[in-house]
Amino acid sequence: MLHKSQVMLVEKNESNESSAWRMDSVTDIRSDDNFYAKYMAGAYGAVPQLWSRAQSARWRETVVGEGDAEVLFMQHLKSLYVQRGSGVVVTIKNARGKGAAHVVDVN
C-alpha cells in the first residue's frame, strides 16, 4: 500500500500545461480515507479523464463469462472502472459453460 507522500497527482489545464503535487500536500486528508473514491470524486483535484465523451460514445464492449462466478467478477470490475454517464457501454453475458460462440453472434 502506498503512503500519501508517495502519490503524485498531475493535472493538465486547457493550455496543455501540467502541474503536479504530492497527495500529502492536500489539506483535510485522513489516513482512513478511501483515497480512490475521493480521487475519483475530484476531492484532490487531478480528476482522471481517461477518454473524451466523443470517444467514449463510440465505445461498446461485450464481455462473456463462462459461469456465474466470472459474471459476478466482471460486474464488480465494471462497477469500479466504468463511470455512469460516460457513454461507455459494457454488456456482460453468461455463456453458462457453452463458450462465447453460444452468446455472441459473429456473422
Side-chain angles (χ1 to χ4, degrees), residues 4 7 9 21 23 26-48 83:
K4 59 187 178 182
V7 177
L9 299 167
W21 59 95
M23 184 180 261
V26 179
T27 59
D28 299 326
I29 295 180
R30 297 174 18 171
S31 61
D32 61 342
D33 281 345
N34 181 335
F35 296 141
Y36 177 78
K38 289 187 94 172
Y39 168 68
M40 294 302 284
Y44 309 133
V47 178
Q83 299 175 5

Side-chain angles (χ1 to χ4, degrees), residues 18-91:
S18 298
S19 56
W21 59 95
R22 286 188 357 194
M23 184 180 261
D24 64 349
S25 70
V26 179
T27 59
D28 299 326
I29 295 180
R30 297 174 18 171
S31 61
D32 61 342
D33 281 345
N34 181 335
F35 296 141
Y36 177 78
K38 289 187 94 172
Y39 168 68
M40 294 302 284
Y44 309 133
V47 178
Q49 185 175 2
L50 303 176
W51 50 76
S52 70
R53 285 197 181 272
Q55 291 169 320
S56 64
R58 291 178 272 156
W59 187 32
R60 295 181 171 272
E61 197 69 41
T62 300
V63 235
V64 178
E66 283 298 309
D68 295 332
E70 288 87 358
V71 168
L72 286 172
F73 178 67
M74 288 185 286
Q75 288 171 340
H76 174 68
L77 290 176
K78 179 181 173 182
S79 73
L80 291 175
Y81 296 108
V82 179
Q83 299 175 5
R84 288 187 180 156
S86 67
V88 176
V89 177
V90 177
T91 305

